[in-house]
C-alpha cells in the first residue's frame, strides 16, 4: 500500500461518526470530554415513548399487548435524534444500567427506527473516563430480559393503577389514585395509626440507686431483680416493699471487665442512603435522589471540568469493585495509618436478591475528598457527597474498640446492676460516627466485695409508649425488609401518597389523612390482595425472575388479571358511591345571607355559599363532636391541623385552649376526676386522659351496636 493510500485510509477512519445517546444533558456533558471528536453525544431527556396518559394503553383482548406512543412534547427531539442516527455509522445507547435504562434504550431503538442500524448497548456504573472507555470496548446487545422485567412492572402497575383510580373517581371523587406499591405503603401507615389509637399505656416502675464508692466517686445502679432472675415492677406497692427492705449499704457481688468491638457499616445502597439522609440531613427521599442523580451524572468541579462524583445511585448491592477497595485501602493507610486499615478486606453481604451487577454507592475517586471540592458544590450536594464519601471510606476501616465494665450489686436480697464503657480505639468512627452513643458512661475502678454507700434511692413511675409513627427513613426500611418495591420505587411512592393527600408529614412523622383512611378502607375491603404485603413481595420476586430470564413477563399479568378483574366488578357493583351531599347548615353567609352548605374538597369538609359563583364565600367547617368541653362547657369541635391531622378542640378557642387527639366522652373519671376519652377503633375503650391514673373501661354499646 502506498503512503497516499495509507493516508487516505486514515482520513476515512477519522471521519467515522459515532452517536452516543444518554438520558440527560448533564450526563452528556460529562461523557463528552472522555470521547474523541468522532463521537457525538445527545440526550433523550428520559423516556421517549410511554403508555398513553388518558387511556389504559393495554390491549386486554390481545394478550395484554402494551401500546406505546411518543411522549407529548418529544416530537421535535425525536426528529433531531432520528436525523443524527441516520448519518451515524454506529449508535451507542448509553442509558442507565438498570431495568429502566434498558427499557429506555429499547424504546429508542424502535422510536428512531434503528433496527437496520449498527447499534450497541453500553453501560457503566460510574461516569469516569476508564469506565466509559471500557463500556465502548464491551458493548453488547440490548438485554431483553431486563426490558421485559420493566415492561411487566409498567403494565402491571398501569392495569392496577388505571383501574383502581377510575373506580375511586367513580365512587369517591376525582383526582384520587390507587396503585400497587402505594396502596401497600398507605396500609402500613394506616395500620400503625390504628395501633397508636388503640394503644393503652401500662404502668411500670424503675428504681435508681445513687451511690458513692470508697473514694467518694459517684455511681448509679438500676434495680434488676433477685438472684432468681429479672423482676418487672408494675405497681407502686411492689416498689414500696423493695424500698422498705433496702439498707444504706450495697455490696458488689461481681465485676466483669471485657473488650467489645463495633464493626463498620456497609457502603450505601439506595435504601440506606435515603434512610440516613432523612435522619441526619433532613432530606426527603425524593430530594435525596435528585441530588444523588446530579452527583452521579456530573458536576462542574474547579480545575477538573464536569465529572461524575459518585457511582450509580439506584442499587441494592453493597459490593464494591477490587479497584475501589484498593484505592480506599491506600487512602486510609496514607491519611490515618496502618492501625486504621482493616487487616482483611471486608466483604458485605447483600440482603435477599439484589441487582449485583451494580456496586454500592461510592465516590468515583476516593482522594476527591468533600472538603477539597466544597467550593464547587451546592450546600445540599456537599452534604450528600460528604455522607456518601464518609460511609464508603469508613466501610473499609478497622473496628472501634471499647473497654467495658459490668457490675452486679446486692442489697436486701435484691440485685442492682450498672455498666460503663470507654472508647479505647476509634477505628472507623474517626470518619463515620453517626448513630453512635455520645454519652459514654465511665465508671470508677470497682472491685468485688466493695461496699457502696447510698446517697439516694429514686423510685420512678413510667408508662409504656405506643409504637412510633413512620418517618421517610423507617417506612423505606420497612418496605425494603418486607420486599415491597425496589430501589427506584421508594422515593416516588412516598411522593405520591403525600401528593394525593392520603398522608401528611409533621415533624418528619407520617400521618394518614381522613381521605387516606377512607381509600385504605376501600382497598382492604375490596382489594385485599393488592394491599397484602406478602402478595406484593411475591410479585416483586416474580419480576426478578423475569429479569433473570426464568419467567415470561406476560405470564405474570395473565395469572394476575382474571382475579383482579373479578374484584373490580364486585366493587363496582357493591361499593356505594361515597358522595357527600351539600348539607344545609344554620350558619348564614356573611356576604349574602344565604344558609351556608357543607362541601367536600381535597382537604376535607368546608363551608361554602350555595350562591356560587355569584357569591364565592367559603370558610373552614368544624363538625360538632357531640360533647361539651371539659374545661369551659363549650362545644367540642372536630378540627384538623394545617396538614390534615384530626384533633378535638373547643369552639371558644383562643379563650379556651382545650385540645385532645382523642375524642372526649363528656364524662369524668370515677377515680381521679379528669375527663375521659375514647381510644381505638376495632376494640374501643374508655380511658382516663390523665396517664398517671390508668383508669380503663370497655366502651358501652350504643343502641345501634345492640341492634
Amino acid at each position: 500500500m502506498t503512503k497516499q493510500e495509507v493516508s487516505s485510509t486514515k482520513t476515512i477512519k477519522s471521519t467515522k461518526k459515532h452517536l452516543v445517546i444518554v438520558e440527560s444533558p448533564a450526563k452528556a456533558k460529562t461523557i463528552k470530554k472522555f470521547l474523541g471528536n468522532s463521537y457525538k453525544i445527545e440526550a433523550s431527556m428520559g423516556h421517549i415513548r410511554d403508555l398513553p396518559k388518558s387511556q389504559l394503553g393495554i390491549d386486554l383482548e390481545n394478550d395484554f399487548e402494551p401500546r406505546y406512543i411518543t411522549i407529548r412534547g418529544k416530537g421535535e427531539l425525536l426528529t433531531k435524534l432520528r436525523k443524527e442516527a441516520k448519518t451515524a455509522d454506529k449508535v451507542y445507547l448509553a442509558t442507565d444500567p438498570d431495568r429502566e435504562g434498558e427499557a429506555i434504550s429499547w424504546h429508542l431503538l424502535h422510536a428512531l427506527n434503528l433496527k437496520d442500524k449498527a447499534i450497541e448497548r453500553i453501560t457503566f456504573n460510574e461516569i469516569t473516563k476508564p469506565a466509559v472507555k471500557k463500556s465502548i470496548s464491551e458493548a453488547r446487545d440490548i438485554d431483553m430480559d431486563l426490558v421485559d422485567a420493566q415492561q411487566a412492572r409498567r403494565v402491571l402497575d398501569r392495569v392496577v393503577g388505571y383501574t383502581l383510580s377510575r373506580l375511586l373517581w367513580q365512587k369517591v371523587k376525582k383526582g384520587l389514585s390507587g396503585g400497587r406499591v402505594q396502596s401497600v405503603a398507605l396500609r402500613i401507615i394506616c395500620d400503625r395509626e390504628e395501633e397508636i389509637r388503640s394503644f393503652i399505656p401500662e404502668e411500670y416502675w424503675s428504681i435508681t440507686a445513687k451511690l458513692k464508692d470508697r473514694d467518694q466517686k459517684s455511681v448509679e445502679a438500676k434495680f434488676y431483680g433477685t438472684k432468681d432472675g429479672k423482676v418487672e415492677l408494675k405497681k407502686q406497692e411492689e416498689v414500696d416493699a423493695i424500698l422498705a427492705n433496702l439498707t444504706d449499704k450495697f455490696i458488689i457481688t461481681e465485676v466483669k471487665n471485657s473488650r467489645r468491638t463495633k464493626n463498620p457499616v456497609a457502603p450505601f445502597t439506595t435504601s440506606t442512603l435515603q434512610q440516613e439522609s432523612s435522619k441526619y440531613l433532613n432530606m426527603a427521599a425524593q430530594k435525596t435522589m435528585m441530588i444523588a442523580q446530579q452527583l452521579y451524572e456530573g458536576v462542574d468541579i474547579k480545575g477538573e471540568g464536569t465529572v461524575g462524583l459518585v457511582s450509580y445511585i439506584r442499587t441494592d448491592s453493597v459490593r464494591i469493585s477490587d479497584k475501589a477497595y484498593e484505592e480506599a485501602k491506600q487512602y486510609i493507610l496514607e491519611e490515618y495509618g496502618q492501625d486504621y486499615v482493616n487487616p482483611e478486606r471486608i466483604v458485605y453481604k447483600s440482603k435477599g436478591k439484589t441487582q449485583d451487577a451494580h456496586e454500592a454507592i461510592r465516590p468515583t475517586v476516593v482522594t476527591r475528598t468533600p472538603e477539597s471540592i466544597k467550593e464547587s458544590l451546592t450546600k445540599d450536594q456537599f452534604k450528600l457527597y460528604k455522607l456518601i464519601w464518609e460511609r464508603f471510606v469508613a466501610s473499609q476501616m478497622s473496628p472501634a474498640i471499647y473497654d467495658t465494665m459490668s457490675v452486679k450489686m446486692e442489697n436486701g436480697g435484691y440485685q442492682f446492676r450498672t455498666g460503663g464503657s470507654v472508647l479505647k480505639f476509634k477505628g472507623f468512627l474517626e470518619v463515620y460516627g453517626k448513630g453512635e452513643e455520645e454519652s459514654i458512661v465511665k465508671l470508677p475502678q470497682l472491685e468485688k466485695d466493695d461496699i457502696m454507700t447510698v446517697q439516694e434511692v429514686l423510685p420512678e413511675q413510667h408508662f409504656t409508649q405506643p409504637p412510633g409513627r413512620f418517618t421517610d427513613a423507617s417506612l423505606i426500611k420497612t418496605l425494603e425488609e418486607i420486599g415491597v418495591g425496589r430501589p427506584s420505587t421508594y422515593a416516588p411512592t412516598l411522593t405520591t401518597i403525600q401528593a394525593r393527600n392520603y398522608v401528611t408529614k409533621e415533624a418528619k412523622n407520617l400521618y394518614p389523612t381522613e381521605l387516606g383512611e377512607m381509600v385504605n378502607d376501600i382497598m382492604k375491603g375490596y382489594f385485599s390482595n393488592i394491599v397484602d404485603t406478602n402478595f406484593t413481595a411475591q410479585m416483586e420476586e416474580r419480576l426478578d425472575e423475569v429479569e433473570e430470564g426464568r419467567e415470561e413477563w406476560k405470564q405474570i399479568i395473565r395469572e394476575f388479571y382474571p382475579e383482579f378483574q373479578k374484584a373490580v366488578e364486585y366493587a363496582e357493583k357493591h361499593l356505594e358511591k361515597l358522595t357527600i351531599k351539600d348539607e344545609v347548615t344554620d350558619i348564614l353567609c356573611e356576604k349574602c345571607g344565604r344558609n351556608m352548605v357543607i362541601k367536600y374538597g381535597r382537604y376535607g369538609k368546608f363551608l361554602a355559599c350555595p350562591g356560587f359563583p355569584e357569591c364565592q364565600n367559603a370558610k373552614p367547617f368544624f363538625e360538632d363532636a357531640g360533647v361539651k368541653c371539659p374545661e369551659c362547657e363549650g362545644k367540642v369541635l372536630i378540627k384538623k391541623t394545617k396538614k390534615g391531622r384530626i384533633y378535638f378542640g373547643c369552639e371558644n378557642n383562643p379563650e379556651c385552649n382545650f385540645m385532645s387527639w382523642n375524642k372526649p366522652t363528656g364524662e369524668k373519671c370515677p377515680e381521679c376526676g379528669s375527663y375521659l376519652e375514647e381510644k381505638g377503633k376495632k376494640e374501643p375503650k374508655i380511658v382516663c386522659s390523665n396517664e398517671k391514673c390508668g383508669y380503663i373501661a370497655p366502651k358501652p354499646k350504643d343502641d345501634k351496636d345492640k341492634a
Side-chain angles (χ1 to χ4, degrees):
M1 187 181 289
T2 66
K3 287 183 179 180
Q4 187 176 357
E5 287 172 326
V6 171
S7 176
S8 176
T9 304
K10 285 182 179 178
T11 303
I12 291 170
K13 283 183 180 177
S14 66
T15 57
K16 278 201 169 187
K17 180 185 172 187
H18 303 295
L19 176 64
V20 179
I21 303 178
V22 296
E23 295 103 324
S24 72
K27 196 173 177 181
K29 185 180 178 183
T30 309
I31 290 171
K32 193 170 186 179
K33 58 187 282 191
F34 302 144
L35 301 173
N37 292 330
S38 60
Y39 289 85
K40 177 130 190 209
I41 322 295
E42 294 289 348
S44 69
M45 310 301 290
H47 273 281
I48 208 91
R49 296 196 313 172
D50 197 5
L51 299 171
K53 276 192 173 183
S54 56
Q55 303 169 29
L56 177 62
I58 312 292
D59 191 342
L60 301 176
E61 306 300 321
N62 185 25
D63 199 20
F64 307 101
E65 190 64 28
R67 182 172 68 86
Y68 297 112
I69 61 169
T70 301
I71 294 172
R72 182 175 292 181
K74 291 285 183 89
E76 191 175 326
L77 174 62
L78 192 55
T79 301
K80 178 187 175 184
L81 291 176
R82 281 175 179 160
K83 185 178 178 181
E84 294 288 352
K86 192 173 183 181
T87 58
D89 296 289
K90 184 178 282 189
V91 178
Y92 292 100
L93 301 173
T95 49
D96 284 349
D98 58 9
R99 294 175 186 173
E100 201 73 23
E102 206 73 19
I104 292 174
S105 284
W106 180 72
H107 284 299
L108 283 166
L109 173 68
H110 289 274
L112 302 181
N113 302 318
L114 299 176
K115 290 180 183 178
D116 300 324
K117 198 81 182 173
I119 68 113
E120 290 188 312
R121 172 82 168 111
I122 59 173
T123 59
F124 27 82
N125 191 58
E126 59 184 54
I127 306 178
T128 59
K129 187 172 184 178
V132 173
K133 287 281 191 183
K134 186 181 179 186
S135 72
I136 296 284
S137 65
E138 295 178 351
R140 58 170 173 80
D141 293 333
I142 288 175
D143 186 335
M144 284 308 299
D145 289 334
L146 282 173
V147 174
D148 287 345
Q150 191 275 342
Q151 283 199 102
R153 176 184 289 280
R154 187 76 183 95
V155 170
L156 187 65
D157 288 347
R158 170 53 70 96
V159 168
V160 172
Y162 190 91
T163 308
L164 290 182
S165 298
R166 185 185 62 195
L167 179 71
L168 291 171
W169 280 44
Q170 291 172 353
K171 300 295 186 177
V172 186
K173 75 185 196 75
K174 288 185 178 181
L176 302 184
S177 73
R180 197 172 56 87
V181 177
Q182 78 175 52
S183 296
V184 175
L186 177 60
R187 177 176 182 170
I188 290 170
I189 293 169
C190 288
D191 286 351
R192 175 60 59 85
E193 194 67 22
E194 177 54 29
E195 281 184 70
I196 293 168
R197 287 174 185 158
S198 303
F199 181 81
I200 306 297
E202 292 183 6
E203 179 184 7
Y204 71 98
W205 287 74
S206 66
I207 304 174
T208 303
K210 294 191 173 184
L211 312 170
K212 294 278 189 181
D213 72 354
R214 58 179 177 270
D215 298 321
Q216 297 301 298
K217 292 181 179 177
S218 298
V219 175
E220 282 192 5
K222 296 278 188 182
F223 173 81
Y224 176 78
T226 66
K227 61 181 180 180
D228 297 324
K230 188 172 177 62
V231 174
E232 302 287 348
L233 302 176
K234 299 290 187 182
K235 297 291 181 184
Q236 185 172 354
E237 293 78 11
E238 299 169 356
V239 174
D240 291 341
I242 293 169
L243 296 177
N245 285 325
L246 295 181
T247 68
D248 61 353
K249 303 291 182 185
F250 279 65
I251 300 173
I252 295 179
T253 57
E254 182 181 312
V255 176
K256 188 176 180 181
N257 292 293
S258 59
R259 180 155 284 187
R260 177 175 66 89
T261 60
K262 182 179 177 70
N263 292 319
V265 284
F268 284 129
T269 61
T270 304
S271 166
T272 54
L273 175 64
Q274 290 173 353
Q275 291 172 47
E276 296 289 274
S277 176
S278 173
K279 279 194 278 188
Y280 300 116
L281 306 183
N282 202 25
M283 277 191 198
Q286 193 76 2
K287 182 177 180 180
T288 296
M289 295 311 293
M290 179 186 75
I291 303 297
Q293 186 75 21
Q294 293 168 5
L295 298 176
Y296 165 68
E297 291 185 342
V299 178
D300 193 6
I301 302 298
K302 190 176 180 180
E304 291 189 74
T306 305
V307 292
L309 297 177
V310 301
S311 59
Y312 191 52
I313 44 88
R314 290 180 182 84
T315 175
D316 48 13
S317 172
V318 290
R319 181 182 64 82
I320 61 170
S321 67
D322 294 341
K323 181 174 176 289
Y325 165 69
E326 291 298 335
E327 288 179 357
K329 180 181 175 182
Q330 188 62 31
Y331 179 83
I332 295 165
L333 179 64
E334 292 175 2
E335 292 296 319
Y336 301 100
Q338 185 64 52
D339 289 345
Y340 287 86
V341 178
N342 204 67
E344 295 181 2
R345 177 174 178 175
I346 305 175
V347 178
Y348 297 95
K349 291 184 179 179
S350 300
K351 296 178 183 177
K353 291 186 177 180
T354 62
Q355 300 176 29
D356 209 48
H358 304 157
E359 289 185 59
I361 303 171
R362 58 168 178 79
T364 54
V365 180
V366 74
T367 53
R368 194 183 283 128
T369 64
E371 292 299 331
S372 70
I373 59 172
K374 186 175 182 178
E375 289 183 10
S376 301
L377 303 178
T378 66
K379 186 178 178 181
D380 287 334
Q381 286 173 342
F382 171 74
K383 287 194 292 186
L384 195 62
Y385 180 69
K386 187 171 185 284
L387 193 70
I388 293 168
W389 186 91
E390 289 176 345
R391 178 87 166 215
F392 169 69
V393 172
S395 74
Q396 293 304 322
M397 294 178 75
S398 52
I401 300 173
Y402 296 84
D403 283 341
T404 65
M405 176 188 285
S406 59
V407 181
K408 295 180 182 178
M409 304 178 190
E410 192 272 340
N411 187 337
Y414 298 107
Q415 192 178 110
F416 284 70
R417 292 185 177 184
T418 188
S421 62
V422 176
L423 182 61
K424 194 76 175 174
F425 175 68
K426 292 185 78 171
F428 77 95
L429 296 176
E430 186 73 46
V431 174
Y432 193 86
K434 289 177 173 57
E436 187 63 13
E437 292 293 335
E438 293 294 331
S439 54
I440 294 175
V441 178
K442 185 176 182 180
L443 294 178
Q445 189 60 43
L446 302 175
E447 303 288 344
K448 185 181 177 185
D449 298 326
D450 279 358
I451 304 296
M452 308 292 289
T453 307
V454 175
Q455 298 298 302
E456 192 177 11
V457 177
L458 300 173
E460 190 174 357
Q461 183 187 38
H462 308 273
F463 289 90
T464 54
Q465 297 298 309
R469 289 181 174 84
F470 285 103
T471 61
D472 279 12
S474 59
L475 182 61
I476 289 169
K477 185 178 181 182
T478 300
L479 290 171
E480 183 183 41
E481 285 174 349
I482 63 179
V484 172
R486 284 298 181 262
S488 60
T489 65
Y490 302 132
T493 298
L494 280 164
T495 301
T496 300
I497 58 178
Q498 290 176 72
R500 296 287 183 268
N501 196 39
Y502 296 163
V503 170
T504 186
K505 188 188 291 185
E506 291 182 26
K508 284 193 176 185
N509 294 318
L510 299 171
Y511 297 83
T513 63
E514 186 179 10
L515 179 61
E517 292 189 289
M518 185 190 299
V519 170
N520 181 56
D521 287 342
I522 292 171
M523 294 298 297
K524 285 201 299 184
Y526 293 90
F527 301 97
S528 55
N529 259 8
I530 299 296
V531 292
D532 180 76
T533 55
N534 291 329
F535 174 82
T536 308
Q538 288 166 9
M539 192 64 75
E540 295 290 357
E541 288 177 4
R542 292 191 69 182
L543 292 172
D544 290 341
E545 288 177 359
V546 173
E547 179 178 330
E548 293 160 10
R550 294 192 284 113
E551 177 150 24
E552 183 194 353
W553 76 268
K554 284 188 178 180
Q555 186 59 28
I556 296 176
I557 319 296
R558 292 182 196 122
E559 292 177 17
F560 167 80
Y561 185 73
E563 288 300 318
F564 175 66
Q565 183 59 22
K566 283 181 188 176
V568 171
E569 290 171 358
Y570 182 84
E572 287 177 337
K573 185 177 179 181
H574 293 90
L575 178 60
E576 292 183 12
K577 186 171 175 60
L578 301 176
T579 48
I580 299 176
K581 293 181 179 179
D582 293 347
E583 181 184 337
V584 180
T585 71
D586 56 2
I587 301 169
L588 299 178
C589 174
E590 302 92 332
K591 296 184 178 179
C592 69
R594 294 182 177 95
N595 284 70
M596 299 190 83
V597 297
I598 299 171
K599 287 188 174 288
Y600 194 86
R602 182 180 177 185
Y603 300 104
K605 295 176 182 177
F606 66 96
L607 286 171
C609 181
F612 183 88
E614 292 84 13
C615 179
Q616 299 186 17
N617 187 26
K619 59 185 180 181
F621 168 76
F622 300 123
E623 192 174 344
D624 188 346
V627 293
K628 290 184 177 181
C629 173
E631 294 185 10
C632 75
E633 295 292 305
K635 288 182 182 178
V636 172
L637 304 177
I638 302 172
K639 297 186 173 186
K640 287 184 182 179
T641 66
K642 288 181 180 179
K643 294 193 174 182
R645 187 182 173 196
I646 293 174
Y647 71 96
F648 297 85
C650 182
E651 66 173 341
N652 296 324
N653 181 274
E655 288 77 18
C656 176
N657 61 5
F658 169 77
M659 177 267 177
S660 174
W661 296 113
N662 301 306
K663 181 182 177 181
T665 65
E667 304 291 331
K668 298 284 186 183
C669 173
E671 293 186 6
C672 75
S674 299
Y675 71 89
L676 296 174
E677 57 187 18
E678 293 180 20
K679 289 199 95 176
K681 264 187 178 180
K682 293 178 182 176
E683 297 179 10
K685 288 184 170 57
I686 304 300
V687 301
C688 182
S689 57
N690 175 13
E691 281 190 352
K692 291 187 177 181
C693 171
Y695 173 80
I696 304 171
K699 182 185 176 184
K701 291 189 175 181
D702 57 25
D703 293 337
K704 289 181 182 177
D705 293 332
K706 291 173 185 174

